[in-house]
Protein backbone atom coordinates (compact mmCIF):
# COMPACT_ATOMS: atom_id res chain seq x y z
CA UNK A 1 0.00 0.00 0.00
CA UNK A 2 1.45 3.42 -0.93
CA UNK A 3 2.52 5.58 1.99
CA UNK A 4 0.21 8.43 0.98
CA UNK A 5 -2.85 6.20 0.97
CA UNK A 6 -1.90 4.85 4.38
CA UNK A 7 -1.60 8.31 5.86
CA UNK A 8 -4.94 9.45 4.64
CA UNK A 9 -6.98 6.37 5.43
CA UNK A 10 -7.51 5.08 1.88
CA UNK A 11 -6.80 1.60 0.61
CA UNK A 12 -6.96 2.75 -3.00
CA UNK A 13 -3.86 4.35 -4.59
CA UNK A 14 -6.03 6.14 -7.16
CA UNK A 15 -7.68 8.09 -4.37
CA UNK A 16 -4.43 9.92 -3.67
CA UNK A 17 -3.87 10.62 -7.37
CA UNK A 18 -7.37 12.05 -7.53
CA UNK A 19 -6.60 14.31 -4.58
CA UNK A 20 -3.64 15.82 -6.36
CA UNK A 21 -5.51 16.27 -9.65
CA UNK A 22 -8.73 17.79 -8.34
CA UNK A 23 -8.83 21.39 -7.15
CA UNK A 24 -11.67 21.97 -4.75
CA UNK A 25 -13.05 25.48 -4.39
CA UNK A 26 -13.11 26.03 -0.64
CA UNK A 27 -15.96 28.52 -0.83
CA UNK A 28 -18.17 25.89 -2.48
CA UNK A 29 -17.11 23.29 0.06
CA UNK A 30 -17.92 25.61 2.95
CA UNK A 31 -21.32 26.33 1.43
CA UNK A 32 -22.04 22.61 1.40
CA UNK A 33 -20.95 22.08 5.00
CA UNK A 34 -24.49 22.14 6.30
CA UNK A 35 -25.26 18.98 4.34
CA UNK A 36 -22.35 17.08 5.91
CA UNK A 37 -22.67 15.01 9.05
CA UNK A 38 -21.95 17.24 12.04
CA UNK A 39 -20.31 15.88 15.18
CA UNK A 40 -23.67 15.62 16.94
CA UNK A 41 -24.80 13.32 14.12
CA UNK A 42 -21.64 11.25 13.94
CA UNK A 43 -21.14 10.62 17.64
CA UNK A 44 -24.05 8.17 18.06
CA UNK A 45 -22.94 6.28 14.92
CA UNK A 46 -19.23 6.09 15.67
CA UNK A 47 -18.25 7.43 19.11
CA UNK A 48 -14.56 6.59 18.66
CA UNK A 49 -14.24 8.50 15.39
CA UNK A 50 -16.14 11.42 16.86
CA UNK A 51 -13.78 11.62 19.80
CA UNK A 52 -10.75 11.46 17.52
CA UNK A 53 -12.06 14.47 15.67
CA UNK A 54 -12.24 16.32 18.94
CA UNK A 55 -8.73 15.00 19.68
CA UNK A 56 -9.91 13.67 23.03
CA UNK A 57 -6.89 12.18 24.78
CA UNK A 58 -9.11 10.24 27.16
CA UNK A 59 -10.70 8.33 24.30
CA UNK A 60 -7.75 8.01 21.93
CA UNK A 61 -5.43 6.99 24.75
CA UNK A 62 -2.14 8.08 23.21
CA UNK A 63 -0.61 8.47 26.66
CA UNK A 64 -0.09 4.96 28.14
CA UNK A 65 1.16 6.30 31.51
CA UNK A 66 -1.32 6.95 34.36
CA UNK A 67 1.36 9.05 36.07
CA UNK A 68 3.57 10.47 33.33
CA UNK A 69 5.48 12.80 35.66
CA UNK A 70 6.66 9.81 37.70
CA UNK A 71 7.70 7.86 34.59
CA UNK A 72 9.50 10.90 33.16
CA UNK A 73 11.42 11.48 36.41
CA UNK A 74 12.88 7.95 36.27
CA UNK A 75 14.32 8.40 32.79
CA UNK A 76 17.82 9.63 31.87
CA UNK A 77 18.28 13.37 31.37
CA UNK A 78 18.38 14.92 27.92
CA UNK A 79 21.90 14.65 26.52
CA UNK A 80 22.77 18.00 24.92
CA UNK A 81 26.27 16.75 24.08
CA UNK A 82 24.77 14.38 21.49
CA UNK A 83 24.98 16.43 18.33
CA UNK A 84 24.41 15.61 14.68
CA UNK A 85 27.06 13.37 13.10
CA UNK A 86 27.41 10.93 10.22
CA UNK A 87 28.09 7.20 10.59
CA UNK A 88 28.60 4.25 8.23
CA UNK A 89 25.68 2.18 6.96
CA UNK A 90 25.09 -1.27 8.48
CA UNK A 91 26.82 -2.96 5.52
CA UNK A 92 29.14 -0.57 3.65
CA UNK A 93 30.13 -3.42 1.28
CA UNK A 94 26.54 -4.28 0.25
CA UNK A 95 26.12 -5.42 -3.37
CA UNK A 96 23.14 -5.62 -5.71
CA UNK A 97 20.92 -8.63 -5.09
CA UNK A 98 21.97 -9.17 -1.48
CA UNK A 99 18.63 -8.08 0.01
CA UNK A 100 18.28 -7.11 3.66
CA UNK A 101 21.42 -6.58 5.73
CA UNK A 102 20.18 -8.65 8.72
CA UNK A 103 21.23 -12.02 7.36
CA UNK A 104 17.65 -13.11 6.77
CA UNK A 105 16.49 -12.76 10.39
CA UNK A 106 13.50 -10.65 9.35
CA UNK A 107 12.29 -13.44 7.06
CA UNK A 108 11.94 -15.75 10.04
CA UNK A 109 9.22 -13.57 11.56
CA UNK A 110 5.51 -14.06 10.86
CA UNK A 111 3.26 -11.26 9.60
CA UNK A 112 -0.27 -10.63 10.82
CA UNK A 113 -2.90 -9.52 8.31
CA UNK A 114 -5.08 -6.60 9.44
CA UNK A 115 -8.37 -5.59 7.85
CA UNK A 116 -8.95 -1.89 8.70
CA UNK A 117 -12.71 -2.46 8.35
CA UNK A 118 -12.93 -5.70 10.34
CA UNK A 119 -16.23 -6.05 12.21
CA UNK A 120 -15.94 -4.55 15.67
CA UNK A 121 -12.63 -2.77 14.96
CA UNK A 122 -12.90 0.84 16.18
CA UNK A 123 -11.56 3.60 13.92
CA UNK A 124 -9.26 4.66 16.75
CA UNK A 125 -7.36 1.36 16.36
CA UNK A 126 -6.39 2.30 12.80
CA UNK A 127 -5.33 5.75 13.96
CA UNK A 128 -3.08 4.38 16.72
CA UNK A 129 -1.68 1.68 14.44
CA UNK A 130 -0.78 4.07 11.64
CA UNK A 131 0.84 6.76 13.77
CA UNK A 132 3.01 4.07 15.38
CA UNK A 133 3.96 2.43 12.07
CA UNK A 134 4.49 5.39 9.73
CA UNK A 135 7.45 6.89 11.56
CA UNK A 136 9.26 9.17 11.83
CA UNK A 137 6.88 11.87 10.57
CA UNK A 138 7.81 15.54 10.20
CA UNK A 139 5.87 17.88 12.45
CA UNK A 140 4.10 20.62 10.53
CA UNK A 141 3.80 23.42 13.08
CA UNK A 142 1.02 25.45 11.49
CA UNK A 143 0.16 29.06 12.26
CA UNK A 144 -3.13 30.63 11.13
CA UNK A 145 -5.33 33.60 12.01
CA UNK A 146 -9.06 34.19 11.88
CA UNK A 147 -10.53 36.03 8.93
CA UNK A 148 -11.10 39.21 10.98
CA UNK A 149 -7.67 38.95 12.60
CA UNK A 150 -9.24 38.85 16.04
CA UNK A 151 -7.63 35.56 17.03
CA UNK A 152 -4.53 33.54 16.11
CA UNK A 153 -3.87 29.83 16.22
CA UNK A 154 -0.78 27.62 16.42
CA UNK A 155 -0.91 23.81 16.30
CA UNK A 156 1.30 20.81 15.38
CA UNK A 157 0.29 18.35 12.63
CA UNK A 158 2.18 15.14 11.93
CA UNK A 159 0.18 14.39 8.77
CA UNK A 160 2.46 16.85 6.94
CA UNK A 161 4.87 16.45 4.04
CA UNK A 162 6.46 18.24 1.07
CA UNK A 163 5.19 16.75 -2.22
CA UNK A 164 6.59 19.01 -4.95
CA UNK A 165 9.25 21.68 -5.45
CA UNK A 166 8.02 23.61 -8.52
CA UNK A 167 5.69 24.92 -7.34
CA UNK A 168 6.64 24.14 -3.73
CA UNK A 169 3.67 22.14 -2.43
CA UNK A 170 2.99 20.75 1.02
CA UNK A 171 0.18 18.60 2.39
CA UNK A 172 -1.50 18.82 5.78
CA UNK A 173 -3.99 16.20 6.91
CA UNK A 174 -6.82 17.10 9.29
CA UNK A 175 -9.01 14.64 11.21
CA UNK A 176 -12.74 15.24 10.70
CA UNK A 177 -14.64 17.07 7.99
CA UNK A 178 -15.32 20.71 7.24
CA UNK A 179 -18.56 20.65 9.24
CA UNK A 180 -16.58 20.10 12.43
CA UNK A 181 -13.38 21.91 11.47
CA UNK A 182 -10.95 22.67 14.25
CA UNK A 183 -9.33 26.09 14.54
CA UNK A 184 -6.47 25.60 12.07
CA UNK A 185 -8.61 24.16 9.30
CA UNK A 186 -11.39 26.72 9.86
CA UNK A 187 -8.88 29.58 9.66
CA UNK A 188 -7.07 28.10 6.65
CA UNK A 189 -10.33 27.64 4.76
CA UNK A 190 -11.47 31.18 5.55
CA UNK A 191 -8.22 33.07 4.91
CA UNK A 192 -6.43 30.63 2.54
CA UNK A 193 -3.16 31.43 4.34
CA UNK A 194 -0.86 29.80 6.88
CA UNK A 195 2.76 29.33 7.85
CA UNK A 196 4.42 25.94 8.32
CA UNK A 197 7.28 25.91 10.80
CA UNK A 198 9.77 23.10 11.41
CA UNK A 199 10.03 22.05 15.06
CA UNK A 200 13.52 21.93 16.57
CA UNK A 201 14.87 20.60 19.88
CA UNK A 202 15.06 24.09 21.35
CA UNK A 203 11.31 24.57 21.53
CA UNK A 204 9.90 21.04 21.61
CA UNK A 205 8.01 21.52 24.88
CA UNK A 206 6.49 24.79 23.71
CA UNK A 207 5.42 23.24 20.40
CA UNK A 208 3.82 20.29 22.16
CA UNK A 209 1.95 22.66 24.48
CA UNK A 210 0.05 24.06 21.50
CA UNK A 211 -1.75 20.72 21.12
CA UNK A 212 -3.76 21.66 24.21
CA UNK A 213 -7.53 21.43 23.77
CA UNK A 214 -8.14 25.13 24.34
CA UNK A 215 -11.49 26.64 23.27
CA UNK A 216 -11.73 28.51 19.96
CA UNK A 217 -10.45 32.05 20.34
CA UNK A 218 -7.77 31.18 22.92
CA UNK A 219 -4.39 31.67 21.28
CA UNK A 220 -1.83 28.90 21.66
CA UNK A 221 0.83 31.51 20.98
CA UNK A 222 0.33 32.94 24.46
CA UNK A 223 0.13 29.53 26.13
CA UNK A 224 3.35 28.36 24.46
CA UNK A 225 5.40 31.50 25.06
CA UNK A 226 6.71 31.38 21.49
CA UNK A 227 7.46 34.52 19.52
CA UNK A 228 5.39 35.59 16.49
CA UNK A 229 7.41 37.08 13.62
CA UNK A 230 5.99 39.04 10.67
CA UNK A 231 5.66 37.57 7.19
CA UNK A 232 5.79 39.18 3.75
CA UNK A 233 3.08 37.49 1.67
CA UNK A 234 0.67 36.21 4.32
CA UNK A 235 -0.95 37.93 7.29
CA UNK A 236 -0.45 35.17 9.84
CA UNK A 237 2.76 34.98 11.87
CA UNK A 238 5.67 32.60 11.56
CA UNK A 239 7.46 31.20 14.62
CA UNK A 240 10.61 33.23 15.19
CA UNK A 241 12.24 30.37 17.11
CA UNK A 242 11.89 28.11 14.06
CA UNK A 243 15.07 27.60 12.04
CA UNK A 244 13.01 27.11 8.87
CA UNK A 245 9.53 28.44 8.10
CA UNK A 246 7.27 28.53 5.06
CA UNK A 247 4.72 31.15 4.13
CA UNK A 248 1.89 29.25 2.48
CA UNK A 249 -1.29 29.87 0.54
CA UNK A 250 -4.05 27.30 0.15
CA UNK A 251 -3.83 25.54 -3.20
CA UNK A 252 -6.69 23.04 -2.87
CA UNK A 253 -8.52 20.77 -0.45
CA UNK A 254 -10.10 17.34 -0.58
CA UNK A 255 -12.58 16.05 1.97
CA UNK A 256 -12.64 12.31 2.69
CA UNK A 257 -15.66 10.15 3.35
CA UNK A 258 -15.67 7.05 5.54
CA UNK A 259 -15.70 3.73 3.71
CA UNK A 260 -17.14 2.01 6.75
CA UNK A 261 -19.94 4.58 7.22
CA UNK A 262 -20.83 6.21 3.88
CA UNK A 263 -21.85 9.84 4.24
CA UNK A 264 -19.63 10.48 7.24
CA UNK A 265 -16.76 12.91 6.68
CA UNK A 266 -13.58 11.70 8.34
CA UNK A 267 -10.77 13.92 7.12
CA UNK A 268 -9.58 16.80 4.99
CA UNK A 269 -6.39 17.03 2.96
CA UNK A 270 -5.09 20.55 2.38
CA UNK A 271 -2.49 21.23 -0.29
CA UNK A 272 -0.56 24.41 0.49
CA UNK A 273 1.75 26.27 -1.88
CA UNK A 274 4.89 27.71 -0.37
CA UNK A 275 5.25 31.31 -1.53
CA UNK A 276 8.19 32.38 0.64
CA UNK A 277 10.78 30.66 2.84
CA UNK A 278 12.55 31.89 5.97
CA UNK A 279 15.82 30.25 7.06
CA UNK A 280 18.00 31.12 10.02
CA UNK A 281 21.26 32.58 8.79
CA UNK A 282 23.56 30.19 10.63
CA UNK A 283 21.75 27.15 9.20
CA UNK A 284 21.83 28.23 5.54
CA UNK A 285 24.65 27.74 3.01
CA UNK A 286 25.86 30.50 0.67
CA UNK A 287 23.76 29.26 -2.26
CA UNK A 288 20.62 29.30 -0.10
CA UNK A 289 19.81 25.73 -1.09
CA UNK A 290 20.84 23.63 1.93
CA UNK A 291 19.87 23.60 5.62
CA UNK A 292 22.42 22.21 8.08
CA UNK A 293 20.79 19.43 10.17
CA UNK A 294 23.27 20.15 12.97
CA UNK A 295 21.64 23.57 13.33
CA UNK A 296 18.07 22.60 12.46
CA UNK A 297 18.02 19.80 15.05
CA UNK A 298 14.62 18.62 13.84
CA UNK A 299 12.14 16.71 15.98
CA UNK A 300 9.81 14.13 14.50
CA UNK A 301 6.62 12.38 15.59
CA UNK A 302 6.51 8.71 16.51
CA UNK A 303 3.62 6.66 17.90
CA UNK A 304 1.61 7.51 20.99
CA UNK A 305 3.03 10.61 22.70
CA UNK A 306 6.60 9.96 21.53
CA UNK A 307 8.84 12.32 19.62
CA UNK A 308 12.03 11.37 17.78
CA UNK A 309 15.37 13.16 17.93
CA UNK A 310 17.71 13.14 14.92
CA UNK A 311 21.36 12.91 15.95
CA UNK A 312 22.76 10.36 13.47
CA UNK A 313 22.70 10.02 9.72
CA UNK A 314 24.36 7.97 7.00
CA UNK A 315 24.92 8.71 3.33
CA UNK A 316 24.22 6.44 0.34
CA UNK A 317 24.80 7.56 -3.26
CA UNK A 318 22.16 6.51 -5.79
CA UNK A 319 23.54 3.61 -7.85
CA UNK A 320 24.15 4.09 -11.58
CA UNK A 321 22.79 1.17 -13.62
CA UNK A 322 25.36 1.34 -16.43
CA UNK A 323 28.24 1.50 -13.94
CA UNK A 324 26.90 -1.48 -12.02
CA UNK A 325 26.36 -3.42 -15.23
CA UNK A 326 29.83 -2.59 -16.48
CA UNK A 327 31.41 -3.84 -13.24
CA UNK A 328 29.54 -7.14 -13.50
CA UNK A 329 27.49 -6.51 -10.37
CA UNK A 330 24.19 -7.04 -12.22
CA UNK A 331 25.21 -10.47 -13.58
CA UNK A 332 22.32 -12.90 -13.14
CA UNK A 333 20.07 -10.12 -11.85
CA UNK A 334 18.72 -8.70 -15.12
CA UNK A 335 15.18 -10.10 -15.06
CA UNK A 336 11.65 -8.77 -15.48
CA UNK A 337 10.63 -10.10 -12.06
CA UNK A 338 11.84 -12.25 -9.20
CA UNK A 339 11.76 -15.98 -9.89
CA UNK A 340 8.47 -17.43 -8.65
CA UNK A 341 6.88 -14.01 -8.12
Amino acid sequence: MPRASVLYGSSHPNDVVDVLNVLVNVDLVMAEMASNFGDHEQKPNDPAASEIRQDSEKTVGRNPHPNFAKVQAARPDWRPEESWHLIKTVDPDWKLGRGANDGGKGLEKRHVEIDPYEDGRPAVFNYKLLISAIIPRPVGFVSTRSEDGGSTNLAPFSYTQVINHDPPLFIIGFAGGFSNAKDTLANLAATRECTINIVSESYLEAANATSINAPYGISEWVLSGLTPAPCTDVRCSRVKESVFSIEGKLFSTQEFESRATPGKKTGVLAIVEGVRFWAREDALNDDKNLIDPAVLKPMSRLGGIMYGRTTEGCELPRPDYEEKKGSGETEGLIKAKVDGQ
Side-chain angles (χ1 to χ4, degrees):
M1 185 183 299
R3 173 172 174 164
S5 59
V6 170
L7 286 177
Y8 294 102
S10 169
S11 59
H12 300 278
N14 289 338
D15 291 349
V16 178
V17 175
D18 290 342
V19 167
L20 301 181
N21 289 334
V22 178
L23 303 184
V24 179
N25 186 298
V26 175
D27 293 333
L28 291 178
V29 172
M30 296 298 284
E32 294 173 357
M33 282 179 6
S35 64
N36 295 339
F37 274 19
D39 186 64
H40 66 285
E41 296 170 294
Q42 293 191 22
K43 193 165 185 176
N45 297 325
D46 190 350
S50 172
E51 296 295 345
I52 289 177
R53 295 179 62 193
Q54 296 179 31
D55 203 22
S56 172
E57 179 57 44
K58 291 181 180 179
T59 298
V60 176
R62 279 178 293 257
N63 182 3
H65 311 295
N67 188 340
F68 176 71
K70 182 178 180 180
V71 172
Q72 171 98 310
R75 291 174 175 167
D77 290 336
W78 184 275
R79 292 187 285 270
E81 69 278 4
E82 290 191 4
S83 57
W84 167 259
H85 59 281
L86 291 169
I87 58 174
K88 296 177 182 178
T89 62
V90 176
D91 183 3
D93 298 320
W94 188 92
K95 303 295 182 184
L96 292 178
R98 282 190 182 176
N101 60 26
D102 64 354
K105 292 181 180 179
L107 297 176
E108 300 171 1
K109 305 298 181 180
R110 174 176 167 268
H111 284 78
V112 176
E113 183 178 357
I114 302 171
D115 179 356
Y117 307 116
E118 180 182 2
D119 288 344
R121 181 179 176 86
V124 69
F125 279 23
N126 293 331
Y127 170 76
K128 295 175 74 172
L129 174 69
L130 295 179
I131 67 169
S132 66
I134 313 301
I135 59 173
R137 302 185 306 281
V139 182
F141 200 28
V142 182
S143 165
T144 58
R145 54 174 264 166
S146 61
E147 193 168 16
D148 62 5
S151 64
T152 57
N153 182 256
L154 187 61
F157 292 88
S158 69
Y159 286 3
T160 306
Q161 187 57 271
V162 57
I163 60 169
N164 199 57
H165 66 278
D166 184 17
L169 294 176
F170 307 83
I171 50 175
I172 307 171
F174 299 90
F178 277 110
S179 62
N180 192 36
K182 296 186 69 178
D183 299 359
T184 300
L185 178 57
N187 289 343
L188 180 60
T191 66
R192 305 184 70 84
E193 294 182 347
C194 71
T195 68
I196 302 174
N197 306 271
I198 302 304
V199 176
S200 296
E201 295 177 10
S202 60
Y203 68 96
L204 171 62
E205 298 87 351
N208 182 71
T210 66
S211 63
I212 191 170
N213 55 343
Y216 184 79
I218 302 297
S219 178
E220 292 81 4
W221 282 95
V222 181
L223 297 174
S224 70
L226 292 172
T227 309
C231 291
T232 300
D233 296 318
V234 301
R235 293 171 295 171
C236 47
S237 305
R238 57 187 171 89
V239 178
K240 192 170 184 179
E241 287 83 353
S242 180
V243 174
F244 187 73
S245 299
I246 301 146
E247 293 186 29
K249 294 194 175 183
L250 187 62
F251 186 80
S252 68
T253 60
Q254 176 68 47
E255 191 172 42
F256 298 110
E257 183 173 304
S258 169
R259 297 199 185 280
T261 310
K264 183 178 69 174
K265 309 302 182 183
T266 55
V268 174
L269 170 70
I271 301 179
V272 173
E273 180 178 355
V275 296
R276 192 170 297 271
F277 307 134
W278 293 82
R280 211 171 77 182
E281 190 176 40
D282 60 333
L284 191 65
N285 67 344
D286 292 340
D287 290 332
K288 299 181 182 179
N289 63 6
L290 287 176
I291 297 293
D292 185 352
V295 179
L296 182 62
K297 297 183 179 180
M299 298 298 298
S300 60
R301 257 328 227 129
L302 308 177
I305 60 173
M306 290 187 290
Y307 287 87
R309 184 186 185 192
T310 304
T311 58
E312 288 186 345
C314 57
E315 294 181 315
L316 279 171
R318 292 191 179 189
D320 181 271
Y321 180 78
E322 292 301 327
E323 287 183 5
K324 295 293 184 182
K325 186 177 179 181
S327 68
E329 196 171 329
T330 62
E331 186 176 350
L333 301 176
I334 303 177
K335 301 179 180 181
K337 62 179 182 179
V338 175
D339 293 342
Q341 187 176 23

